[in-house]
Amino acid sequence: MNYLKLKQIVVFITFCFLLSCNQQKGPLSKVTGRQIKIDTSLNAVDSIETFVAPFKNRINEVLDSTLAYAPKSLLLDDGNRNTAMGNLMADIVFQETYPIFKSKMGEELDFVVLNRGGIRSIISKGHVTARNAYQVMPFENYISVVELSGTAVRKLITFLSTSERPHPISGMQIVLNKRGALESVSIQGSPFDENRNYYVATSDYLVQGGPSIGFFDNIISTTDTGYLLRNAIIDHFKKVDSIKAEVDDRFIQLD
């Protein structure tokens, strides 16, 4: 590097330094602000609406296109221990996650557990669209698969059995006696074995703590699928003609 170029660089650095010094007016001493209400009193800007319109129309077209049909409404309050809507959600997560987890880890998915509060809408009878999936699952939650010891699964079963809310499950059957005590538990058709580990699909929200409901206190390993729960719902809708789910015996209390 010759002397002229070096001099030019030094001059440029000095200029930038002096410029930055001149911009420093001293330490920040006060911050003020005011509330701007966003309501019907605000007028739309025509130029912006015109620019946005094609994108908005395309989004609505995609969201409102029919993907499947629900012969009857799927509800969240039609059962004491399990519900049609909860069963649908848990079964979707199991069916859509199983091949992904099997391909990625070479292991079998054992069961699914979700939280009742994470399902934000029912599915009404009639045409089912992608918009329905956004209504059911408005959150950006991903599906995770956690490995739990038999002891941890036992605690999870106890939590589910004593909860006042019907948290959705799939791949597992829990039977309580008349007094509400645990009668039997089976996973994938086999009796629960506290001496082995199980792979459980769920929401990453619950894995990360969620509403502190104690689903997963002790996790051996976690596999992030990179699969949005909402996308699993949409993918399932695309694969079936009719969406069917009902209250069954996956979680019951004997009379």
Side-chain angles (χ1 to χ4, degrees), residues 8-223:
Q8 290 174 337
I9 293 174
V10 172
V11 171
F12 177 76
I13 294 175
T14 303
F15 173 78
C16 292
F17 176 78
L18 292 175
L19 181 62
S20 65
C21 289
N22 289 336
Q23 291 177 339
Q24 297 295 326
K25 303 298 183 180
L28 183 65
S29 60
K30 184 179 181 182
V31 176
T32 60
R34 64 188 180 90
Q35 185 180 29
I36 301 177
K37 292 184 178 180
I38 301 177
D39 53 29
T40 55
S41 64
L42 296 177
N43 296 321
V45 179
D46 291 341
S47 60
I48 295 179
E49 284 204 329
T50 300
F51 176 79
V52 171
F55 303 97
K56 180 180 179 181
N57 293 338
R58 177 55 181 162
I59 290 173
N60 287 333
E61 180 184 345
V62 172
L63 289 178
D64 294 328
S65 60
T66 299
L67 302 178
Y69 182 81
K72 65 178 183 178
S73 296
L74 304 176
L75 308 176
L76 282 163
D77 59 358
D78 53 350
N80 293 325
R81 291 290 179 174
N82 68 92
T83 67
M85 188 65 209
N87 292 348
L88 174 69
M89 286 289 293
D91 289 347
I92 286 176
V93 172
F94 191 95
Q95 293 168 20
E96 300 300 326
T97 304
Y98 183 94
I100 295 175
F101 183 66
K102 178 69 173 178
S103 174
K104 190 171 186 176
M105 302 301 296
E107 300 286 353
E108 304 282 338
L109 182 63
D110 292 301
F111 65 93
V112 170
V113 60
L114 303 173
N115 66 314
R116 164 63 178 78
I119 305 173
R120 291 309 177 100
S121 176
I122 66 170
I123 291 180
S124 299
K125 177 182 177 180
H127 296 293
V128 179
T129 67
R131 190 181 297 277
N132 291 125
Y134 277 83
Q135 293 168 342
V136 170
M137 179 54 57
F139 315 110
E140 298 299 300
N141 291 341
Y142 288 84
I143 299 172
S144 292
V145 178
V146 296
E147 180 183 4
L148 300 179
S149 68
T151 301
V153 173
R154 170 70 70 180
K155 291 181 180 179
L156 174 58
I157 293 168
T158 300
F159 176 86
L160 294 171
S161 301
T162 57
S163 175
E164 296 181 354
R165 310 187 80 187
H167 298 294
I169 60 173
S170 181
M172 170 191 284
Q173 183 189 49
I174 301 175
V175 179
L176 308 179
N177 62 24
K178 294 180 181 180
R179 299 181 302 276
L182 197 62
E183 179 81 12
S184 65
V185 179
S186 61
I187 299 175
Q188 293 302 320
S190 298
F192 166 60
D193 182 359
E194 197 164 342
N195 295 313
R196 56 155 291 190
N197 295 348
Y198 289 91
Y199 290 102
V200 188
T202 187
S203 163
D204 65 342
Y205 174 66
L206 296 180
V207 175
Q208 295 164 8
S212 300
I213 56 177
F215 268 10
F216 307 109
D217 291 332
N218 298 292
I219 297 174
I220 296 173
S221 67
T222 302
T223 302

